[in-house]
Amino acid sequence: MKTPSIDIKANAKSAVIEVLNARLADAIDLALITKQAHWNLKGPNFIAVHEMLDPMRAAIDNHVDIIAERIAQLDGIALGTSQVVAKATKLAAYPTDIRKSTEHLAALAERYAALANQVREDIDTTDEAGDADAADILTAFSRELDKNLWFIKSHLE
């Protein structure tokens, strides 16, 4: 007996899985980048930024899990190992030689914005492929990224 499956065409599932795995790699990278900044920043606003970054990391981790689970729901394999992420991420490499809070915030803002803009494109792609649920998952992630980008930028103004 064949078990029931999500009623999305196989080619659409494959396209959505590809998009979600790409964003999974970026999201895992952004989570690591956020923690890199959290551990290494220095400056007069240290405690405010330090304490701001932990909930941001936790929120990204939550979205990582939701994205990975959607991939599995579509009968795909979520690709989240460090080796895959290192090869697949589209985010610019994070500088590991900076310490000033403002430098970290500027580097974070660049990466949060890049991912937020890509996720917005992917919302349309997954919706057009026929997976409104994946589009909804990415919409929630987009809102979180935009909010956190606003928080980061507010420390730079």
Side-chain angles (χ1 to χ4, degrees):
M1 177 175 126
K2 185 176 178 188
T3 58
S5 184
I6 293 174
D7 190 22
I8 298 174
K9 292 182 180 178
N11 60 337
K13 280 184 183 178
S14 294
V16 171
I17 290 166
E18 183 178 330
V19 167
L20 292 178
N21 263 318
R23 293 306 69 78
L24 181 64
D26 293 342
I28 292 169
D29 192 22
L30 188 63
L32 294 170
I33 286 168
T34 301
K35 205 57 161 175
Q36 177 71 22
H38 169 86
W39 291 324
N40 292 295
L41 57 90
K42 304 241 185 271
N45 60 349
F46 164 79
I47 198 64
V49 176
H50 184 77
E51 290 181 351
M52 175 182 76
L53 294 179
D54 267 341
M56 288 181 179
R57 165 65 190 262
I60 295 168
D61 287 342
N62 185 52
H63 289 284
V64 161
D65 197 47
I66 292 168
I67 292 167
E69 288 173 353
R70 184 62 182 165
I71 293 166
Q73 291 162 15
L74 296 172
D75 299 322
I77 304 238
L79 304 173
T81 67
S82 59
Q83 295 83 4
V84 169
V85 170
K87 289 180 184 176
T89 186
K90 300 294 184 224
L91 299 181
Y94 195 81
T96 56
D97 60 345
I98 58 176
R99 292 196 180 269
K100 291 182 182 177
S101 295
T102 54
E103 291 173 344
H104 279 290
L105 290 165
L108 288 170
E110 178 183 314
R111 284 149 187 87
Y112 272 77
L115 185 51
N117 290 330
Q118 181 60 59
V119 167
R120 263 187 291 288
E121 288 180 29
D122 295 336
I123 292 166
D124 293 336
T125 302
T126 54
D127 192 41
E128 289 167 8
D131 190 353
D133 293 333
D136 185 58
I137 287 166
L138 293 172
T139 299
F141 189 32
S142 172
R143 278 194 305 270
E144 188 78 38
L145 290 167
D146 286 352
K147 179 185 79 174
N148 289 334
L149 177 58
W150 170 52
F151 288 169
I152 291 166
K153 286 174 56 178
S154 292
H155 281 273
L156 290 170
E157 310 262 331

